Amino acid sequence: QSHSPKRAVSQHRHLSFHQGGKISISLGSPKDRKTLVPVKEPAQHTGKEAADAILHRKLRKTLWAKEESCQLTLETLAEDRRDGYDAVLVSRPHNFEVCHGAVDHFFPSAVKIYDAEALYHRRDEMYLETTAGADAEGKSKVHLLARLREKIQKMRAVEGAALGWADRASSVSHQDEADMVELSPTILGRTHVLSDYIHSSSITTPSIANRRGILFVGSFHNSMYYNGDALMYLVKEVLPAVVESVGTTDKLLTVVGSELPALAQRLFQNDEFINFRGFVENLHEVFATARVFVIPHQYAAGIPIKALTAVAHRVPVVISTAANKGLGGNASTGFSVCGDATCFSSAITRLLLDDSYWLDQRSSIDNMAHRFSIRSFYDSVRSLLHGIEPRSCVGFPT
């Protein structure tokens, strides 16, 4: 729900290595060091969030105890460990742009892996095809669309270069894997899917009697415009029909996430059916009381991690066709998959009013845990690294 620039580590200027139980991290400048601030961790984590929480704890213990380590650069660290890795994984296009030259220079014999996650330009292409410029007119709209097309062209070139550079590549879904091969056919046969996984053993799930209403979760930081568009679609196209069917004046929809767009605030701040919670410290609180979770995105890329969080909390999900592609494309067990507003409103209404149907959907959700188990994730990692023979790490610092 939060994608603030004040995250524990600058996302654009770092590369971390894990060696011998120690974390070494390179940051670009003293300015970056200011982003090393405490991270308040939620009580419950699922999937990658749990690993991130462990990393944050290690960073606090390692970096704050010795601030000099923050002054490392990628080149300094790579020089120190020249040709010392059997494989180097570079994740996402902005990191590829910054460090692929150093990887080629310092680790020429390593297997190069590009972790695409998803193709960033594809989401922008879908945005261009659907809602881009909907609120603009005349020259403003023309300028906005021209800038977006330029952005797409540049990102497509970077992602194509990354796939051409890599010996192997990974994505978070089979749909994104197919998109990678379409962009760079030479990567065919060398792609792998590394999805997230569901970890719900420590999460308690309240009964239906203690649940009510609809939950929407998503950060509205300016780089996450797709969440804002999804909320606007939900409130304008879907919610009115649900309100009419349910016949309630309660706060039917709860919206959780930081940096709510000004437009949404102006339009909906006095709406009697919407409860804007803003940033919530512990998401377990809102998932534990929600009856229905919605993912109404009309364009999407990658895997919707929020869907797995809902599954971990055993909350029935109504999801758009576009977002569901990241989960395999077919109707996911326990999910209501909708391609239009009428389907969305009908599915939400049924889950709100029909207790038997809600309980059936909740039981079906448990099957999702098998598809996204920790064992499946480990098997995917083994597949990605298969055949990479470890060599002795001569000359590493003790």
Side-chain angles (χ1 to χ4, degrees), residues 151-201:
K151 176 186 175 185
I152 291 170
Q153 185 177 10
K154 289 181 178 179
M155 183 57 69
R156 181 183 176 89
V158 171
E159 292 182 307
L163 291 170
W165 169 84
D167 299 309
R168 306 179 184 188
S170 62
S171 64
V172 294
S173 77
H174 290 287
Q175 177 63 51
D176 296 298
E177 181 183 40
D179 289 342
M180 288 195 308
V181 173
E182 181 180 354
L183 176 63
S184 181
T186 58
I187 201 69
L188 180 65
R190 295 181 285 122
T191 60
H192 302 262
V193 175
L194 292 183
S195 182
D196 207 315
Y197 60 88
I198 297 172
H199 179 71
S200 58
S201 59

Side-chain angles (χ1 to χ4, degrees), residues 12-33:
H12 296 277
R13 301 190 65 177
H14 86 276
L15 182 67
S16 60
F17 296 91
H18 187 273
Q19 163 69 16
K22 296 180 181 179
I23 294 287
S24 297
I25 187 160
S26 63
L27 296 174
S29 68
K31 178 181 178 181
D32 289 327
R33 293 202 298 274

Side-chain angles (χ1 to χ4, degrees), residues 119-127 129 159 179 300-301:
L119 293 183
Y120 283 49
H121 79 271
R122 280 293 298 132
R123 180 185 287 130
D124 285 335
E125 285 179 342
M126 288 184 277
Y127 173 54
E129 295 166 1
E159 292 182 307
D179 289 342

Side-chain angles (χ1 to χ4, degrees), residues 206-208 210-215 254 277 283-292 315:
S207 66
I208 189 173
N210 297 316
R211 294 176 175 275
R212 56 182 51 83
I214 310 161
L215 175 63
T254 297
R277 291 284 303 273
L283 282 176
H284 176 65
E285 168 200 344
V286 291
F287 275 101
T289 57
R291 177 140 171 162
V292 183
V315 184

Side-chain angles (χ1 to χ4, degrees), residues 343-362:
C343 174
F344 250 101
S345 58
S346 298
I348 293 171
T349 299
R350 187 177 182 187
L351 285 168
L352 290 174
L353 299 180
D354 189 334
D355 289 355
S356 296
Y357 178 67
W358 188 92
L359 291 170
D360 288 343
Q361 289 292 92
R362 177 169 175 165

Side-chain angles (χ1 to χ4, degrees), residues 46-62:
T46 59
K48 182 178 178 295
E49 294 172 346
D52 287 346
I54 294 172
L55 176 60
H56 291 157
R57 285 196 292 271
K58 289 182 177 179
L59 284 172
R60 285 202 292 275
K61 292 178 181 177
T62 305

